[in-house]
């Protein structure tokens, strides 16, 4: 069969600089799971156009919440052309009935063990509406089919995304990882991860794991196995990971150069509510200093709009970031993604403003904040970004980066600074939409 695998773009994706883009592995994994004998083409629509007017037997579309509207558009377009369309990914997994209105079948959960069955059922004309997959054992996962997607993703050839684990033992209210991938963590065999790295021989590895250090014994073994490969790598972790001195040192010895850390908030009350840093905010200072002295770039992921935060959160956060010379940040607006406990709670409290998923991309205010109006939250958020990314702030934080990754520091700060002007424009469009009519946003691409 001729199979097209698509990761759709979102409204915001065209504006995302390569410095801020996080690559996905869904398509390479799906391609690797496809039995031999099929003709497979992968398209990351964010960086690559769809092939013009080709006929497909099967189209597999993987979607998150922010791009699911585009996924539905593509699904109806390919179904009209006669293809069997299968939807999967996080959003279809948490909203399967909604997704089923747009597709021939929906895969709920992960693709391992299910995708070959879906293709077999299509060939034998017995396709089911839903395929449920309860957290498969990853021991027999094939190596992702890499060469083509690395080119399609627009990634530099020396950078290789990889995922060694799935799931997270924590249960943050705003996160769907524990609901979709399960509590606890499953992992690939370490020799499997090593084989993938050796086969591709990248200079820099990007671990996409939601929490690389969550399963400590596995993480220690992984870092020991990485050490002789002499590669540099970056990944995502919590502050607890950095504060575990033995684990952190093992990570540094294995080539760790940058960490994306879920700081979320530096407000003591909000922090206590999230149970993110039981030891208090002072531990964040300690973690950042430890990263800096080890030559590891600390990238802070922040959330604005938590119930415990007041408008003063922006001043407090700015003071924290400047005091610690934090190199770079992902400033997110709290987003009640469907499938999360947060979405359920805000729905019960009548605080969800709309369910137009296109705007659920952590840069819009889709709910009623407790201590601010949506407009005030947006206004103060933009002001915060402008001040954190001002020339004087960039210059003030620069000396602390000389021993870390000064070029990455400049690249990420300039990219986020550029994106801030566009974000202000997007807020204006969003609030116009919110207050007038709420028509579904359209995409320019052919439908
Ligand atoms: S936000 Fe991070 S730590 Fe919390 S549940 Fe999600 S992956 Fe785990």
């Amino acid at each position: 069969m001729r199979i097209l695998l698509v990761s759709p773009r979102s409204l915001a994706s065209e504006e995302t600089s390569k410095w801020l883009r996080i690559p996905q592995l869904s398509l390479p994994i799906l391609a690797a799971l496809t039995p031999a004998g099929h003709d497979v083409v992968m398209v990351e629509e964010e960086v690559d156009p769809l092939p013009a007017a080709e006929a497909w037997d099967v189209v597999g579309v993987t979607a998150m919440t922010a791009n699911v509207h585009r996924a539905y558009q593509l699904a109806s377009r390919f179904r009209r052309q006669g293809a069997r369309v299968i939807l999967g990914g996080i959003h279809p997994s948490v909203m399967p009935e909604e997704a089923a209105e747009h597709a021939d079948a929906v895969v709920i959960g992960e693709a391992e063990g299910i995708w070959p069955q879906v293709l077999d059922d299509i060939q034998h004309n017995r396709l089911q509406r839903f395929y449920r997959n309860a957290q498969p054992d990853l021991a027999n996962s094939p190596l992702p089919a890499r060469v083509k997607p690395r080119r399609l993703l627009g990634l530099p050839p020396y950078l290789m995304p990889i995922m060694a684990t799935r799931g997270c033992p924590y249960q943050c209210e705003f996160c769907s990882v524990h609901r979709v991938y399960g509590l606890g963590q499953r992992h690939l065999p370490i020799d499997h991860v090593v084989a993938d790295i050796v086969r591709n021989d990248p200079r820099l590895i990007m671990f996409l794991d939601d929490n690389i250090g969550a399963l400590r014994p596995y993480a220690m073994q992984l870092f020991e196995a990485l050490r002789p490969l002499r590669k540099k790598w970056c990944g995502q972790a919590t502050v607890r990971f950095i504060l575990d001195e033995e684990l952190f040192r093992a990570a540094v010895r294995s080539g760790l150069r940058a960490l994306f850390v879920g700081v979320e908030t530096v407000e003591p009350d909000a922090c206590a509510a999230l149970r993110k840093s039981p030891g208090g905010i002072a531990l964040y200072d300690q973690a950042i200093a430890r990263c800096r002295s080890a030559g590891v770039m600390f990238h802070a992921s922040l959330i604005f709009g938590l119930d415990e935060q007041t408008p003063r959160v922006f001043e407090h956060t700015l003071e924290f970031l400047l005091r610690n010379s934090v190199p770079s940040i992902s400033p997110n607006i709290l987003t009640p993604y469907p499938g999360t406990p947060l979405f359920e709670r805000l729905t019960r409290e009548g605080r969800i403003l709309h369910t137009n998923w296109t705007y659920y991309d952590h840069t819009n205010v889709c709910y009623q904040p407790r201590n601010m109006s949506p407009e005030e939250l947006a206004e103060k958020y933009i002001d915060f970004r402008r001040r954190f990314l001002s020339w004087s702030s960039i210059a003030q934080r620069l000396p602390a980066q000389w021993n870390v990754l000064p070029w990455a520091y400049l690249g990420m700060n300039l990219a986020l600074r550029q994106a801030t002007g566009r974000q202000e424009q997007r807020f204006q469009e969003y609030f116009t939409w919110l207050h007038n009519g709420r028509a579904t946003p359209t995409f320019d691409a052919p439908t």
Side-chain angles (χ1 to χ4, degrees):
M1 293 190 292
R2 298 209 67 222
I3 301 173
L4 175 66
L5 302 175
V6 187
S7 176
R9 63 197 170 89
S10 64
L11 269 187
S13 61
E14 285 168 2
E15 300 168 356
T16 307
S17 156
K18 69 175 182 179
W19 284 99
L20 305 176
R21 187 177 291 148
I22 297 178
Q24 304 297 322
L25 269 181
S26 309
L27 300 189
I29 289 173
L30 270 180
L33 289 170
T34 304
H38 298 293
D39 182 13
V40 179
V41 172
M42 290 174 269
V43 173
E44 288 276 355
E45 209 194 5
E46 195 172 308
V47 290
D48 215 39
L50 287 166
E54 288 188 47
W56 306 99
D57 299 303
V58 179
V59 177
V61 185
T62 176
M64 294 185 282
T65 297
N67 65 1
V68 78
H69 174 62
R70 175 66 177 162
Y72 294 159
Q73 278 188 337
L74 293 177
S76 56
R77 164 183 165 179
F78 287 115
R79 289 176 91 189
R80 278 200 307 274
Q81 293 172 359
R84 291 319 228 4
V85 173
I86 317 300
L87 284 172
I90 293 212
H91 189 92
S93 293
V94 297
M95 303 290 286
E97 298 292 340
E98 174 194 288
E101 291 173 21
H102 303 271
D104 296 289
V106 176
V107 173
I108 303 166
E110 295 156 69
E112 281 87 352
I114 285 288
W115 182 239
Q117 186 193 334
V118 171
L119 297 177
D120 193 59
D121 285 356
I122 291 173
Q123 285 183 303
H124 293 92
N125 209 20
R126 57 181 183 221
L127 187 65
Q128 302 163 37
R129 202 93 181 105
F130 298 102
Y131 291 82
R132 290 176 200 276
N133 203 8
Q135 294 131 32
D137 183 358
L138 302 180
N140 300 314
S141 294
L143 299 184
R146 288 193 177 278
V147 177
K148 226 171 168 184
R150 278 174 73 193
R151 193 173 66 236
L152 293 176
L153 276 166
L155 296 174
Y158 58 80
L159 175 65
M160 173 180 152
I162 191 169
M163 190 181 260
T165 62
R166 288 188 209 159
C168 179
Y170 303 116
Q171 300 180 61
C172 301
E173 190 190 28
F174 52 81
C175 181
S176 61
V177 165
H178 53 283
R179 290 264 177 99
V180 175
Y181 295 119
L183 265 175
Q185 212 180 40
R186 288 161 296 128
H187 51 79
L188 293 171
I190 286 174
D191 54 1
H192 188 122
V193 178
V194 169
D196 202 9
I197 295 169
V198 169
R199 189 176 74 162
N200 289 279
D201 194 27
R203 281 215 314 274
L204 178 63
I205 302 161
M206 179 182 279
F207 280 99
L208 301 178
D209 308 57
D210 293 296
N211 190 350
I212 186 76
L215 199 62
R216 194 177 189 279
Y218 177 82
M220 286 298 270
Q221 286 173 31
L222 176 66
F223 301 153
E224 281 307 309
L226 287 178
R227 202 169 159 190
L229 304 182
R230 303 174 71 83
K231 302 292 180 193
K232 296 180 174 52
W233 63 271
C234 54
Q236 303 181 67
T238 62
V239 168
R240 292 170 213 239
F241 171 79
I242 304 167
L243 295 174
D244 183 333
E245 194 165 354
E246 189 190 8
L247 187 60
F248 181 69
R249 287 203 188 289
V252 172
R253 280 198 301 270
S254 73
L256 173 64
R257 295 306 307 277
L259 264 185
F260 180 105
V261 183
V263 170
E264 325 307 7
T265 183
V266 298
E267 298 283 277
D269 287 351
C271 200
L274 291 180
R275 297 193 295 276
K276 271 282 181 178
S277 178
I281 303 300
L283 290 183
Y284 287 153
D285 297 24
Q286 191 183 324
I288 295 166
R290 182 173 289 175
C291 277
R292 184 175 307 122
S293 66
V296 173
M297 185 178 191
F298 185 100
H299 178 96
S301 177
L302 300 163
I303 299 179
F304 295 105
L306 294 162
D307 277 358
E308 294 76 16
Q309 292 173 337
T310 68
R312 290 195 303 278
V313 64
F314 295 100
E315 283 302 327
H316 294 161
T317 307
L318 196 60
E319 187 277 325
F320 167 84
L321 296 174
L322 296 179
R323 170 163 49 83
N324 286 290
S325 289
V326 171
S328 63
I329 59 170
S330 289
N332 304 296
I333 289 182
L334 182 67
T335 301
Y337 287 103
T340 62
L342 176 67
F343 182 82
E344 290 159 12
R345 176 168 69 81
L346 294 185
T347 301
R348 282 196 306 275
E349 294 174 1
R351 293 168 60 193
I352 298 289
L353 295 179
H354 60 82
T355 53
N356 186 328
W357 307 130
T358 298
Y359 290 123
Y360 277 62
D361 63 356
H362 56 254
T363 62
N364 290 297
V365 190
C366 300
Y367 71 106
Q368 178 61 52
R370 178 166 284 168
N371 296 316
M372 289 171 263
S373 69
E375 290 81 357
E376 185 183 16
L377 175 53
E379 197 180 303
K380 290 194 180 301
Y381 169 83
I382 283 290
D383 179 63
F384 161 82
R385 280 179 63 153
R386 286 200 181 290
R387 291 166 68 195
F388 179 70
L389 298 160
S390 67
W391 293 121
S392 65
S393 162
I394 292 174
Q396 180 184 334
R397 290 177 286 123
L398 180 59
Q401 321 305 330
W402 287 129
N403 294 332
V404 190
L405 295 171
W407 292 112
Y409 168 77
L410 288 173
M412 295 186 75
N413 278 270
L414 295 182
L416 193 57
R417 183 183 157 90
Q418 206 173 23
T420 298
R422 291 194 297 271
Q423 175 63 35
E424 193 167 14
Q425 171 74 23
R426 292 182 69 225
F427 271 142
Q428 284 171 10
E429 291 165 6
Y430 172 70
F431 282 110
T432 303
W433 170 84
L434 192 63
H435 298 306
N436 307 307
R438 303 190 184 188
T440 303
T442 54
F443 291 82
D444 297 326
T447 55

